[in-house]
Amino acid sequence: AARIKREDPIEVILGNPPYAGHSANASVRREVGLTGAVKTVRTFIGSLIEDYKQLDGKPLGEKNPKWLQDDYVKFLRWGQWRLTQTGKGILAMITNHGYLDNPTFRGMRQQLMQMFDTLYVLDLHGNAKKKETCPDGARDENVFDIQQGVALGVFSKAQGTGRRGVNHSDLWGTRGSKYDALAAGTIDT
């Protein structure tokens, strides 16, 4: 299994990674040299995340980029990197929805749009931290028993095809109505 994950082309990556703003998966590690000097070294994923701190090749200038260290961001970035190795594929995850509109994620959004031909994003909202409500003022509920809003993302890259676009939709309402819509819906609807 390790050899296959390391060497064989992977064309589909899907999951529901953890949402942890204070990740236990380090992006940097501290190393002590022979002289006792301590230096900070980026881990593999830490190096990949650096791409998300750029916009048009220039630093974002964020004063607090810590949200780019969230585990779901690392999973998305690893999936993006892995499909780059294969040259085509689909990355599909249900994640925190913070990357959709938070300014800290400008570089991440640009990277995803540059890599993938077609992006489908369904914002399921339900963010209790933001006290989200439906556009008509009714109560908006989360599809999970968590406070953080949720989004479904399906990003595809085909060899030799051009950009087909970003498809974004919102789903508001009660948990039950969201479940019903998700069960009845397709990627086209």
Side-chain angles (χ1 to χ4, degrees):
R3 183 194 62 74
I4 289 169
K5 287 189 279 187
R6 192 174 50 251
E7 298 172 14
D8 288 358
I10 295 174
E11 294 181 3
V12 177
I13 299 170
L14 55 96
N16 179 6
Y19 321 158
H22 301 285
S23 174
N25 302 300
S27 291
V28 296
R29 68 176 185 274
R30 310 260 186 285
E31 293 182 355
V32 179
L34 295 174
T35 63
V38 177
K39 71 177 185 177
T40 301
V41 178
R42 283 191 183 93
T43 63
F44 176 71
I45 195 64
S47 295
L48 290 177
I49 292 294
E50 289 300 304
D51 291 343
Y52 285 175
K53 295 179 181 178
Q54 304 278 321
L55 189 63
D56 296 326
K58 297 180 181 124
L60 285 174
E62 285 291 323
K63 292 181 179 155
N64 189 5
K66 74 177 183 177
W67 298 117
L68 291 170
Q69 298 302 319
D70 197 306
D71 282 334
Y72 84 92
V73 175
K74 293 175 183 178
F75 274 80
L76 283 170
R77 182 61 184 100
W78 180 86
Q80 178 187 353
W81 168 82
R82 190 63 181 87
L83 291 178
T84 299
Q85 307 306 302
T86 304
K88 63 182 178 177
I90 295 173
L91 174 61
M93 295 203 184
I94 184 164
T95 64
N96 177 330
H97 75 163
Y99 76 98
L100 298 178
D101 63 0
N102 186 313
T104 302
F105 297 96
R106 296 184 316 273
M108 178 180 174
R109 290 189 296 268
Q110 183 180 61
Q111 287 274 326
L112 292 170
M113 289 190 305
Q114 288 174 344
M115 156 84 189
F116 294 100
D117 303 322
T118 306
L119 295 89
Y120 296 93
V121 178
L122 179 58
D123 190 342
L124 298 170
H125 295 280
N127 193 326
K129 293 179 179 188
K130 290 183 178 179
K131 297 181 174 57
E132 283 189 311
T133 58
C134 299
D136 67 2
R139 184 172 178 198
D140 184 48
E141 297 176 344
N142 201 304
V143 294
F144 298 130
D145 288 327
I146 60 174
Q147 292 185 339
Q148 182 58 52
V150 175
L152 292 170
V154 179
F155 314 127
S156 68
K157 172 146 185 75
Q159 287 180 324
T161 63
R163 172 148 320 280
R164 288 181 295 247
V166 177
N167 304 280
H168 176 267
S169 293
D170 297 290
L171 189 54
W172 302 92
T174 64
R175 180 182 290 189
S177 69
K178 290 178 184 183
Y179 286 169
D180 291 344
L182 290 167
T186 68
I187 201 155
D188 294 322
T189 60

